Amino acid sequence: MSALQTLEKPRADRPPPHGPAAGEGPGRGPGDGAPALQPARVATWLLVGVVTILFASFSSTYLARRTLADWRPVAMPPILWVNTAMLLASSAALEVARRAAPRGRKAAARRATAVAALLGAGFLVGQVMAWRALVAAGVYLATSPHSDFFYLLTGAHGLHLAGGLVALGYAWWRAGRVAVPTTAQAATLTTVAVYWHFVDVLWLYLLVILFWT
């Protein structure tokens, strides 16, 4: 072995001249990188803005209508407390998943995402049970202006939450495609969490204006 070869560092130990190649290192993968997901993040915030405007319009109409003389308030179905607790718990579970993914904890991230989705589905089932309880009590869509708004607002919120369930399913499926969650997959969970937390807060807002204003 020549003197030059002795002083030269083995090629295998040298870092690549431009950092790790795509797919190397924990939490990295081909096609990884937050910039590619920015359009999804922007689209999510635009969607949040549109939905906010939609429900603000509903709210202003509702608040104006409830001042008229024929307004008869509907009693809140007790199951809405359970539904609210499930929705808050689903947001907490999704936050666990969002924090686990960047640390490479694939199983924990997928498990927490699945729990969040199940709790969200439980919320929707509970909403149907609330409607059935009202129908059993003789409160229908056309019974009073308050019942009309209750079915309209909870139905519209349920549809938007169902869309969030589809996004949760996509994030869960995407996290299972690799051995270790990539930065892009963690960003997907964060984007889904933005929307999911939004529908969570939106539900709390609806609950307040429907029964405590």
Side-chain angles (χ1 to χ4, degrees), residues 150-194:
F150 176 82
Y151 284 111
L152 171 66
L153 293 175
T154 56
H157 176 266
L159 286 176
H160 287 89
L161 190 133
L165 283 177
V166 174
L168 277 177
Y170 171 73
W172 178 85
W173 168 78
R174 194 160 191 252
R177 296 183 64 193
V178 294
V180 177
T182 66
T183 302
Q185 288 161 336
T188 298
L189 270 176
T190 298
T191 301
V192 173
V194 167

Side-chain angles (χ1 to χ4, degrees), residues 102-180:
R103 293 176 171 82
R105 299 170 55 201
K106 171 186 171 181
R110 294 194 82 206
R111 184 167 54 249
T113 303
V115 169
L118 288 174
L119 288 169
F123 172 85
L124 287 182
V125 172
Q127 294 297 79
V128 173
M129 293 175 67
W131 294 343
R132 290 174 61 88
L134 286 178
V135 169
V139 179
Y140 300 93
L141 182 68
T143 298
S144 72
H146 192 198
S147 65
D148 188 4
F149 274 102
F150 176 82
Y151 284 111
L152 171 66
L153 293 175
T154 56
H157 176 266
L159 286 176
H160 287 89
L161 190 133
L165 283 177
V166 174
L168 277 177
Y170 171 73
W172 178 85
W173 168 78
R174 194 160 191 252
R177 296 183 64 193
V178 294
V180 177

